[in-house]
Amino acid sequence: MTDNTSKTEPMNIYISGPITGRPEANQRFKEMETFLQALGLQAVNPFTWGLQEDSATWEEHMAHDLILLSGCTHILLLRGWQYSRGARLELAMARKLGLKEITLTDR
């Protein structure tokens, strides 16, 4: 006997946005993580799941964050992502991996 019931894939949402030179970034990412969790979704916040802020180079942070991203189903782009070299790199990788995109806009 085969079980033909449809199973919904859990949504693992990677939060991406500008970090370097943005002292408010940690708070913005944490607020989005809390919001997504309140909706019952798995949020992957690089501040929470990533390396310690001052313990690694930008390149080491990005390498680790791309590994986190590869385990996700979606990428959520915070406002200002287009001005961030890291967020643009994460989006390019997300597209190569076929992740769904969620973009926050000012509208």
Side-chain angles (χ1 to χ4, degrees), residues 9-75:
E9 181 181 355
M11 289 178 65
N12 295 320
I13 303 173
Y14 181 88
I15 303 169
S16 180
I19 293 176
T20 304
R22 306 277 181 117
E24 77 287 355
N26 193 329
Q27 182 63 33
R28 288 181 65 210
F29 277 66
K30 185 62 181 164
E31 287 170 1
M32 183 54 66
E33 177 183 25
T34 301
F35 175 75
L36 293 171
Q37 289 172 340
L39 295 175
L41 303 170
Q42 175 66 50
V44 179
N45 177 351
F47 280 104
T48 303
W49 295 50
L51 303 173
Q52 293 296 319
E53 277 186 72
D54 297 329
S55 70
T57 65
W58 183 88
E59 292 80 5
E60 290 167 332
H61 279 284
M62 288 307 306
H64 182 78
D65 293 350
L66 291 174
I67 291 169
L68 293 175
L69 175 68
S70 70
C72 293
T73 58
H74 293 71
I75 184 170

Short mmCIF file of all heavy atoms in Angstrom, two decimals, residues 9-75:
data_model
loop_
_atom_site.label_atom_id
_atom_site.label_comp_id
_atom_site.label_asym_id
_atom_site.label_seq_id
_atom_site.Cartn_x
_atom_site.Cartn_y
_atom_site.Cartn_z
N GLU A 9 5.97 20.76 2.28
CA GLU A 9 7.36 20.99 2.66
C GLU A 9 7.41 22.15 3.64
O GLU A 9 6.81 23.19 3.42
CB GLU A 9 8.17 21.31 1.41
CG GLU A 9 9.63 21.54 1.67
CD GLU A 9 10.39 21.87 0.40
OE1 GLU A 9 9.83 21.83 -0.69
OE2 GLU A 9 11.58 22.19 0.54
N PRO A 10 8.13 21.98 4.76
CA PRO A 10 8.22 23.11 5.70
C PRO A 10 8.95 24.29 5.06
O PRO A 10 9.85 24.11 4.25
CB PRO A 10 9.02 22.54 6.87
CG PRO A 10 9.71 21.33 6.35
CD PRO A 10 8.91 20.85 5.17
N MET A 11 8.53 25.48 5.43
CA MET A 11 9.17 26.69 4.90
C MET A 11 10.32 27.08 5.81
O MET A 11 10.11 27.41 6.97
CB MET A 11 8.16 27.83 4.82
CG MET A 11 7.12 27.65 3.75
SD MET A 11 5.89 28.99 3.72
CE MET A 11 6.90 30.38 3.27
N ASN A 12 11.52 27.00 5.30
CA ASN A 12 12.72 27.48 5.98
C ASN A 12 13.14 28.75 5.27
O ASN A 12 13.57 28.70 4.12
CB ASN A 12 13.84 26.44 5.93
CG ASN A 12 13.47 25.19 6.70
OD1 ASN A 12 12.88 25.27 7.76
ND2 ASN A 12 13.82 24.05 6.16
N ILE A 13 13.01 29.88 5.95
CA ILE A 13 13.20 31.17 5.32
C ILE A 13 14.49 31.82 5.80
O ILE A 13 14.64 32.13 6.99
CB ILE A 13 12.00 32.09 5.60
CG1 ILE A 13 10.71 31.41 5.10
CG2 ILE A 13 12.21 33.45 4.93
CD1 ILE A 13 9.46 32.15 5.48
N TYR A 14 15.42 32.01 4.87
CA TYR A 14 16.70 32.67 5.16
C TYR A 14 16.49 34.18 5.08
O TYR A 14 15.99 34.69 4.07
CB TYR A 14 17.76 32.22 4.15
CG TYR A 14 19.11 32.84 4.41
CD1 TYR A 14 20.01 32.22 5.27
CD2 TYR A 14 19.47 34.04 3.82
CE1 TYR A 14 21.25 32.78 5.53
CE2 TYR A 14 20.71 34.61 4.08
CZ TYR A 14 21.59 33.98 4.92
OH TYR A 14 22.81 34.55 5.19
N ILE A 15 16.88 34.90 6.11
CA ILE A 15 16.74 36.35 6.14
C ILE A 15 18.02 36.99 5.61
O ILE A 15 19.11 36.72 6.11
CB ILE A 15 16.45 36.84 7.57
CG1 ILE A 15 15.21 36.15 8.12
CG2 ILE A 15 16.30 38.36 7.59
CD1 ILE A 15 15.00 36.36 9.61
N SER A 16 17.86 37.82 4.59
CA SER A 16 19.01 38.47 3.94
C SER A 16 18.79 39.97 3.89
O SER A 16 17.67 40.44 3.71
CB SER A 16 19.17 37.92 2.52
OG SER A 16 20.26 38.52 1.87
N GLY A 17 19.88 40.72 4.03
CA GLY A 17 19.78 42.17 3.94
C GLY A 17 21.11 42.79 4.30
O GLY A 17 22.08 42.10 4.61
N PRO A 18 21.18 44.11 4.26
CA PRO A 18 22.44 44.80 4.54
C PRO A 18 22.83 44.64 6.01
O PRO A 18 22.00 44.81 6.90
CB PRO A 18 22.15 46.25 4.19
CG PRO A 18 20.67 46.39 4.19
CD PRO A 18 20.11 45.04 3.91
N ILE A 19 24.12 44.32 6.23
CA ILE A 19 24.64 44.15 7.59
C ILE A 19 25.85 45.05 7.81
O ILE A 19 25.88 45.82 8.77
CB ILE A 19 25.02 42.67 7.85
CG1 ILE A 19 23.76 41.80 7.85
CG2 ILE A 19 25.79 42.54 9.16
CD1 ILE A 19 24.03 40.31 8.00
N THR A 20 26.84 44.95 6.93
CA THR A 20 28.09 45.69 7.12
C THR A 20 27.84 47.19 7.23
O THR A 20 27.17 47.78 6.37
CB THR A 20 29.06 45.40 5.95
OG1 THR A 20 29.26 43.99 5.87
CG2 THR A 20 30.39 46.09 6.15
N GLY A 21 28.36 47.79 8.29
CA GLY A 21 28.22 49.22 8.50
C GLY A 21 26.84 49.66 8.95
O GLY A 21 26.53 50.84 8.94
N ARG A 22 26.00 48.71 9.34
CA ARG A 22 24.64 49.01 9.77
C ARG A 22 24.45 48.56 11.22
O ARG A 22 24.12 47.41 11.48
CB ARG A 22 23.61 48.29 8.90
CG ARG A 22 23.73 48.50 7.42
CD ARG A 22 23.05 49.80 7.02
NE ARG A 22 23.14 50.02 5.61
CZ ARG A 22 22.09 50.07 4.81
NH1 ARG A 22 20.88 49.92 5.27
NH2 ARG A 22 22.25 50.30 3.53
N PRO A 23 24.65 49.45 12.19
CA PRO A 23 24.53 49.04 13.59
C PRO A 23 23.14 48.54 13.96
O PRO A 23 22.98 47.76 14.89
CB PRO A 23 24.89 50.31 14.37
CG PRO A 23 24.94 51.42 13.40
CD PRO A 23 25.03 50.84 12.03
N GLU A 24 22.11 48.95 13.21
CA GLU A 24 20.74 48.52 13.50
C GLU A 24 20.40 47.17 12.88
O GLU A 24 19.31 46.64 13.10
CB GLU A 24 19.74 49.58 13.01
CG GLU A 24 19.49 49.59 11.51
CD GLU A 24 20.61 50.16 10.63
OE1 GLU A 24 21.62 50.66 11.15
OE2 GLU A 24 20.46 50.11 9.40
N ALA A 25 21.31 46.60 12.11
CA ALA A 25 21.02 45.37 11.36
C ALA A 25 20.61 44.22 12.26
O ALA A 25 19.63 43.52 11.98
CB ALA A 25 22.21 44.97 10.50
N ASN A 26 21.34 44.00 13.34
CA ASN A 26 21.04 42.88 14.22
C ASN A 26 19.59 42.98 14.71
O ASN A 26 18.86 41.98 14.70
CB ASN A 26 22.01 42.86 15.40
CG ASN A 26 21.93 41.56 16.18
OD1 ASN A 26 20.90 40.93 16.27
ND2 ASN A 26 23.05 41.17 16.75
N GLN A 27 19.16 44.16 15.09
CA GLN A 27 17.79 44.36 15.57
C GLN A 27 16.77 44.11 14.46
O GLN A 27 15.73 43.47 14.68
CB GLN A 27 17.62 45.78 16.13
CG GLN A 27 16.24 46.05 16.70
CD GLN A 27 15.90 45.16 17.89
OE1 GLN A 27 16.77 44.79 18.67
NE2 GLN A 27 14.64 44.79 18.01
N ARG A 28 17.03 44.60 13.26
CA ARG A 28 16.11 44.39 12.12
C ARG A 28 15.95 42.91 11.81
O ARG A 28 14.83 42.42 11.59
CB ARG A 28 16.63 45.11 10.87
CG ARG A 28 16.51 46.62 10.92
CD ARG A 28 17.02 47.26 9.64
NE ARG A 28 16.19 46.88 8.51
CZ ARG A 28 16.64 46.76 7.26
NH1 ARG A 28 17.90 46.99 6.98
NH2 ARG A 28 15.84 46.43 6.29
N PHE A 29 17.06 42.18 11.80
CA PHE A 29 17.02 40.75 11.52
C PHE A 29 16.28 40.01 12.63
O PHE A 29 15.49 39.10 12.37
CB PHE A 29 18.44 40.21 11.37
CG PHE A 29 19.04 40.40 10.01
CD1 PHE A 29 19.34 41.66 9.51
CD2 PHE A 29 19.34 39.31 9.20
CE1 PHE A 29 19.90 41.85 8.26
CE2 PHE A 29 19.91 39.48 7.95
CZ PHE A 29 20.19 40.75 7.47
N LYS A 30 16.52 40.39 13.88
CA LYS A 30 15.87 39.74 15.02
C LYS A 30 14.36 39.98 14.98
O LYS A 30 13.58 39.07 15.26
CB LYS A 30 16.47 40.25 16.34
CG LYS A 30 15.92 39.55 17.55
CD LYS A 30 16.26 38.08 17.51
CE LYS A 30 15.69 37.34 18.70
NZ LYS A 30 15.67 35.91 18.52
N GLU A 31 13.94 41.21 14.65
CA GLU A 31 12.51 41.50 14.54
C GLU A 31 11.85 40.64 13.47
O GLU A 31 10.74 40.13 13.68
CB GLU A 31 12.29 42.99 14.26
CG GLU A 31 12.57 43.87 15.45
CD GLU A 31 12.58 45.36 15.12
OE1 GLU A 31 12.34 45.73 13.94
OE2 GLU A 31 12.85 46.15 16.05
N MET A 32 12.50 40.48 12.33
CA MET A 32 11.93 39.65 11.27
C MET A 32 11.91 38.18 11.68
O MET A 32 10.94 37.47 11.42
CB MET A 32 12.72 39.83 9.96
CG MET A 32 12.13 39.05 8.80
SD MET A 32 10.36 39.34 8.47
CE MET A 32 10.41 41.05 7.95
N GLU A 33 12.96 37.73 12.34
CA GLU A 33 12.99 36.35 12.83
C GLU A 33 11.82 36.10 13.79
O GLU A 33 11.10 35.09 13.65
CB GLU A 33 14.32 36.09 13.55
CG GLU A 33 14.43 34.71 14.17
CD GLU A 33 15.73 34.52 14.93
OE1 GLU A 33 16.34 35.51 15.41
OE2 GLU A 33 16.14 33.36 15.07
N THR A 34 11.59 37.00 14.71
CA THR A 34 10.49 36.88 15.67
C THR A 34 9.14 36.88 14.96
O THR A 34 8.25 36.08 15.28
CB THR A 34 10.56 38.03 16.70
OG1 THR A 34 11.82 37.95 17.38
CG2 THR A 34 9.43 37.95 17.71
N PHE A 35 8.98 37.75 13.96
CA PHE A 35 7.74 37.82 13.18
C PHE A 35 7.47 36.50 12.47
O PHE A 35 6.37 35.95 12.53
CB PHE A 35 7.82 38.98 12.18
CG PHE A 35 6.64 39.06 11.26
CD1 PHE A 35 5.43 39.55 11.71
CD2 PHE A 35 6.76 38.66 9.94
CE1 PHE A 35 4.33 39.63 10.85
CE2 PHE A 35 5.68 38.73 9.08
CZ PHE A 35 4.46 39.21 9.54
N LEU A 36 8.48 35.96 11.79
CA LEU A 36 8.31 34.71 11.05
C LEU A 36 7.99 33.56 12.00
O LEU A 36 7.13 32.72 11.71
CB LEU A 36 9.57 34.40 10.23
CG LEU A 36 9.85 35.37 9.07
CD1 LEU A 36 11.23 35.10 8.48
CD2 LEU A 36 8.77 35.29 8.00
N GLN A 37 8.67 33.51 13.13
CA GLN A 37 8.41 32.45 14.10
C GLN A 37 6.99 32.55 14.66
O GLN A 37 6.35 31.52 14.90
CB GLN A 37 9.45 32.50 15.22
CG GLN A 37 10.82 32.05 14.76
CD GLN A 37 11.90 32.28 15.79
OE1 GLN A 37 11.77 33.08 16.71
NE2 GLN A 37 13.02 31.58 15.62
N ALA A 38 6.50 33.77 14.85
CA ALA A 38 5.13 33.95 15.33
C ALA A 38 4.11 33.40 14.34
O ALA A 38 3.00 33.01 14.72
CB ALA A 38 4.86 35.43 15.61
N LEU A 39 4.49 33.35 13.06
CA LEU A 39 3.63 32.78 12.02
C LEU A 39 3.80 31.26 11.92
O LEU A 39 3.17 30.62 11.08
CB LEU A 39 3.96 33.41 10.67
CG LEU A 39 3.66 34.90 10.52
CD1 LEU A 39 4.16 35.41 9.18
CD2 LEU A 39 2.17 35.18 10.69
N GLY A 40 4.67 30.70 12.76
CA GLY A 40 4.91 29.26 12.74
C GLY A 40 5.92 28.82 11.70
O GLY A 40 5.98 27.64 11.35
N LEU A 41 6.72 29.75 11.19
CA LEU A 41 7.70 29.46 10.16
C LEU A 41 9.09 29.34 10.76
O LEU A 41 9.38 29.94 11.79
CB LEU A 41 7.68 30.55 9.09
CG LEU A 41 6.33 30.78 8.42
CD1 LEU A 41 6.36 32.03 7.57
CD2 LEU A 41 5.92 29.57 7.60
N GLN A 42 9.95 28.58 10.10
CA GLN A 42 11.34 28.45 10.53
C GLN A 42 12.14 29.60 9.91
O GLN A 42 12.23 29.71 8.69
CB GLN A 42 11.93 27.12 10.07
CG GLN A 42 13.39 26.94 10.36
CD GLN A 42 13.69 26.86 11.85
OE1 GLN A 42 13.07 26.12 12.56
NE2 GLN A 42 14.63 27.65 12.30
N ALA A 43 12.68 30.46 10.75
CA ALA A 43 13.48 31.59 10.28
C ALA A 43 14.95 31.27 10.47
O ALA A 43 15.36 30.81 11.54
CB ALA A 43 13.11 32.84 11.06
N VAL A 44 15.74 31.52 9.44
CA VAL A 44 17.18 31.33 9.52
C VAL A 44 17.81 32.72 9.48
O VAL A 44 17.91 33.35 8.44
CB VAL A 44 17.71 30.43 8.37
CG1 VAL A 44 19.20 30.28 8.46
CG2 VAL A 44 17.02 29.07 8.42
N ASN A 45 18.21 33.17 10.66
CA ASN A 45 18.79 34.49 10.85
C ASN A 45 20.31 34.32 10.95
O ASN A 45 20.79 33.66 11.87
CB ASN A 45 18.22 35.10 12.14
CG ASN A 45 18.81 36.44 12.49
OD1 ASN A 45 19.77 36.90 11.90
ND2 ASN A 45 18.23 37.07 13.50
N PRO A 46 21.09 34.91 10.03
CA PRO A 46 22.54 34.72 10.09
C PRO A 46 23.17 35.26 11.37
O PRO A 46 24.24 34.81 11.77
CB PRO A 46 23.06 35.45 8.85
CG PRO A 46 21.95 36.35 8.41
CD PRO A 46 20.68 35.73 8.89
N PHE A 47 22.50 36.20 12.05
CA PHE A 47 23.02 36.67 13.34
C PHE A 47 22.87 35.59 14.41
O PHE A 47 23.70 35.48 15.29
CB PHE A 47 22.28 37.94 13.81
CG PHE A 47 22.75 39.19 13.15
CD1 PHE A 47 22.00 39.79 12.16
CD2 PHE A 47 23.94 39.80 13.53
CE1 PHE A 47 22.42 40.96 11.55
CE2 PHE A 47 24.37 40.97 12.93
CZ PHE A 47 23.61 41.55 11.94
N THR A 48 21.79 34.83 14.32
CA THR A 48 21.51 33.78 15.31
C THR A 48 22.26 32.50 14.99
O THR A 48 22.81 31.86 15.87
CB THR A 48 19.99 33.50 15.36
OG1 THR A 48 19.30 34.72 15.65
CG2 THR A 48 19.65 32.46 16.41
N TRP A 49 22.25 32.11 13.72
CA TRP A 49 22.81 30.84 13.29
C TRP A 49 24.24 30.96 12.78
O TRP A 49 24.91 29.96 12.52
CB TRP A 49 21.97 30.25 12.16
CG TRP A 49 20.57 29.88 12.53
CD1 TRP A 49 19.66 30.64 13.18
CD2 TRP A 49 19.93 28.65 12.25
NE1 TRP A 49 18.47 29.97 13.31
CE2 TRP A 49 18.61 28.74 12.74
CE3 TRP A 49 20.32 27.48 11.61
CZ2 TRP A 49 17.69 27.71 12.64
CZ3 TRP A 49 19.40 26.45 11.49
CH2 TRP A 49 18.10 26.57 12.01
N GLY A 50 24.70 32.17 12.58
CA GLY A 50 26.00 32.39 11.95
C GLY A 50 27.16 32.42 12.92
O GLY A 50 27.04 32.06 14.10
N LEU A 51 28.28 32.88 12.42
CA LEU A 51 29.49 33.02 13.21
C LEU A 51 29.37 34.26 14.12
O LEU A 51 28.59 35.16 13.84
CB LEU A 51 30.70 33.18 12.29
CG LEU A 51 30.93 32.06 11.27
CD1 LEU A 51 32.05 32.44 10.31
CD2 LEU A 51 31.23 30.74 11.96
N GLN A 52 30.17 34.31 15.16
CA GLN A 52 30.21 35.50 16.01
C GLN A 52 30.66 36.69 15.17
O GLN A 52 31.57 36.57 14.36
CB GLN A 52 31.17 35.29 17.18
CG GLN A 52 30.70 34.24 18.16
CD GLN A 52 29.41 34.64 18.87
OE1 GLN A 52 29.22 35.77 19.25
NE2 GLN A 52 28.50 33.69 18.99
N GLU A 53 30.03 37.84 15.38
CA GLU A 53 30.27 39.01 14.53
C GLU A 53 31.75 39.35 14.34
O GLU A 53 32.19 39.59 13.24
CB GLU A 53 29.56 40.24 15.10
CG GLU A 53 28.11 40.30 14.69
CD GLU A 53 27.46 41.58 15.15
OE1 GLU A 53 27.77 42.65 14.57
OE2 GLU A 53 26.65 41.51 16.07
N ASP A 54 32.51 39.39 15.41
CA ASP A 54 33.90 39.82 15.32
C ASP A 54 34.90 38.68 15.22
O ASP A 54 36.10 38.90 15.30
CB ASP A 54 34.25 40.71 16.53
CG ASP A 54 33.42 41.98 16.56
OD1 ASP A 54 33.06 42.47 15.48
OD2 ASP A 54 33.13 42.46 17.67
N SER A 55 34.39 37.46 15.01
CA SER A 55 35.29 36.30 15.05
C SER A 55 35.78 35.86 13.68
O SER A 55 36.58 34.93 13.60
CB SER A 55 34.58 35.12 15.72
OG SER A 55 33.55 34.63 14.88
N ALA A 56 35.32 36.49 12.61
CA ALA A 56 35.65 36.00 11.28
C ALA A 56 35.69 37.15 10.28
O ALA A 56 35.14 38.22 10.53
CB ALA A 56 34.62 34.96 10.84
N THR A 57 36.31 36.90 9.15
CA THR A 57 36.35 37.88 8.07
C THR A 57 35.01 37.91 7.35
O THR A 57 34.17 37.00 7.51
CB THR A 57 37.44 37.53 7.04
OG1 THR A 57 37.07 36.29 6.41
CG2 THR A 57 38.81 37.41 7.69
N TRP A 58 34.79 38.92 6.52
CA TRP A 58 33.58 39.00 5.72
C TRP A 58 33.43 37.74 4.87
O TRP A 58 32.34 37.16 4.79
CB TRP A 58 33.63 40.25 4.83
CG TRP A 58 32.38 40.45 4.01
CD1 TRP A 58 31.26 41.12 4.39
CD2 TRP A 58 32.15 39.98 2.68
NE1 TRP A 58 30.33 41.09 3.38
CE2 TRP A 58 30.85 40.40 2.32
CE3 TRP A 58 32.89 39.24 1.76
CZ2 TRP A 58 30.29 40.10 1.08
CZ3 TRP A 58 32.33 38.95 0.53
CH2 TRP A 58 31.05 39.38 0.19
N GLU A 59 34.52 37.31 4.26
CA GLU A 59 34.48 36.12 3.39
C GLU A 59 34.10 34.86 4.18
O GLU A 59 33.34 34.02 3.68
CB GLU A 59 35.85 35.92 2.70
CG GLU A 59 36.19 36.98 1.67
CD GLU A 59 36.74 38.28 2.27
OE1 GLU A 59 36.96 38.36 3.50
OE2 GLU A 59 36.97 39.22 1.49
N GLU A 60 34.61 34.73 5.40
CA GLU A 60 34.26 33.57 6.22
C GLU A 60 32.78 33.61 6.62
O GLU A 60 32.10 32.58 6.61
CB GLU A 60 35.15 33.52 7.47
CG GLU A 60 36.59 33.17 7.15
CD GLU A 60 37.55 33.41 8.30
OE1 GLU A 60 37.30 34.30 9.15
OE2 GLU A 60 38.57 32.70 8.34
N HIS A 61 32.30 34.80 6.96
CA HIS A 61 30.87 34.94 7.26
C HIS A 61 30.03 34.54 6.06
O HIS A 61 29.05 33.80 6.20
CB HIS A 61 30.54 36.39 7.66
CG HIS A 61 30.86 36.71 9.08
ND1 HIS A 61 30.10 36.30 10.14
CD2 HIS A 61 31.87 37.43 9.62
CE1 HIS A 61 30.61 36.75 11.27
NE2 HIS A 61 31.68 37.44 10.98
N MET A 62 30.39 35.02 4.89
CA MET A 62 29.61 34.72 3.69
C MET A 62 29.63 33.23 3.37
O MET A 62 28.59 32.65 3.03
CB MET A 62 30.11 35.52 2.48
CG MET A 62 29.77 37.00 2.53
SD MET A 62 28.01 37.37 2.79
CE MET A 62 27.23 36.46 1.48
N ALA A 63 30.77 32.59 3.49
CA ALA A 63 30.86 31.15 3.22
C ALA A 63 29.93 30.39 4.17
O ALA A 63 29.18 29.49 3.74
CB ALA A 63 32.30 30.66 3.38
N HIS A 64 29.95 30.75 5.44
CA HIS A 64 29.07 30.09 6.41
C HIS A 64 27.60 30.38 6.11
O HIS A 64 26.76 29.48 6.15
CB HIS A 64 29.44 30.55 7.83
CG HIS A 64 28.62 29.89 8.88
ND1 HIS A 64 28.86 28.61 9.31
CD2 HIS A 64 27.55 30.34 9.58
CE1 HIS A 64 27.97 28.28 10.23
NE2 HIS A 64 27.18 29.31 10.42
N ASP A 65 27.29 31.64 5.79
CA ASP A 65 25.91 32.02 5.52
C ASP A 65 25.36 31.33 4.27
O ASP A 65 24.18 30.97 4.22
CB ASP A 65 25.79 33.54 5.40
CG ASP A 65 26.05 34.25 6.73
OD1 ASP A 65 26.13 33.58 7.78
OD2 ASP A 65 26.19 35.49 6.70
N LEU A 66 26.20 31.14 3.27
CA LEU A 66 25.74 30.44 2.06
C LEU A 66 25.43 28.98 2.35
O LEU A 66 24.52 28.40 1.73
CB LEU A 66 26.77 30.57 0.94
CG LEU A 66 26.91 31.99 0.37
CD1 LEU A 66 28.06 32.05 -0.63
CD2 LEU A 66 25.61 32.49 -0.24
N ILE A 67 26.14 28.39 3.29
CA ILE A 67 25.81 27.02 3.71
C ILE A 67 24.44 27.02 4.38
O ILE A 67 23.60 26.15 4.11
CB ILE A 67 26.90 26.45 4.64
CG1 ILE A 67 28.19 26.21 3.85
CG2 ILE A 67 26.43 25.16 5.31
CD1 ILE A 67 29.40 25.91 4.70
N LEU A 68 24.19 27.99 5.25
CA LEU A 68 22.87 28.11 5.88
C LEU A 68 21.78 28.28 4.83
O LEU A 68 20.73 27.63 4.88
CB LEU A 68 22.83 29.31 6.84
CG LEU A 68 23.69 29.25 8.09
CD1 LEU A 68 23.62 30.58 8.84
CD2 LEU A 68 23.25 28.11 8.99
N LEU A 69 22.03 29.15 3.87
CA LEU A 69 21.07 29.42 2.80
C LEU A 69 20.73 28.16 2.02
O LEU A 69 19.58 27.93 1.66
CB LEU A 69 21.65 30.50 1.86
CG LEU A 69 20.84 30.84 0.62
CD1 LEU A 69 19.55 31.55 1.00
CD2 LEU A 69 21.67 31.71 -0.30
N SER A 70 21.72 27.31 1.80
CA SER A 70 21.51 26.11 0.98
C SER A 70 20.51 25.14 1.60
O SER A 70 19.97 24.29 0.90
CB SER A 70 22.84 25.42 0.69
OG SER A 70 23.35 24.82 1.87
N GLY A 71 20.25 25.26 2.89
CA GLY A 71 19.28 24.40 3.54
C GLY A 71 17.88 24.99 3.63
O GLY A 71 17.01 24.42 4.29
N CYS A 72 17.67 26.10 2.95
CA CYS A 72 16.39 26.81 3.04
C CYS A 72 15.53 26.61 1.80
O CYS A 72 16.02 26.19 0.76
CB CYS A 72 16.65 28.29 3.28
SG CYS A 72 17.39 28.62 4.89
N THR A 73 14.26 26.94 1.94
CA THR A 73 13.32 26.87 0.82
C THR A 73 13.03 28.26 0.24
O THR A 73 12.56 28.36 -0.89
CB THR A 73 11.98 26.26 1.28
OG1 THR A 73 11.43 27.06 2.35
CG2 THR A 73 12.17 24.83 1.74
N HIS A 74 13.28 29.30 1.04
CA HIS A 74 12.98 30.68 0.65
C HIS A 74 14.11 31.61 1.09
O HIS A 74 14.81 31.31 2.05
CB HIS A 74 11.70 31.18 1.33
CG HIS A 74 10.46 30.48 0.90
ND1 HIS A 74 10.17 29.17 1.23
CD2 HIS A 74 9.40 30.92 0.17
CE1 HIS A 74 9.00 28.83 0.72
NE2 HIS A 74 8.51 29.88 0.07
N ILE A 75 14.21 32.73 0.40
CA ILE A 75 15.07 33.83 0.85
C ILE A 75 14.17 35.05 1.01
O ILE A 75 13.37 35.36 0.12
CB ILE A 75 16.25 34.11 -0.10
CG1 ILE A 75 17.16 35.20 0.47
CG2 ILE A 75 15.78 34.44 -1.51
CD1 ILE A 75 18.48 35.36 -0.27
#
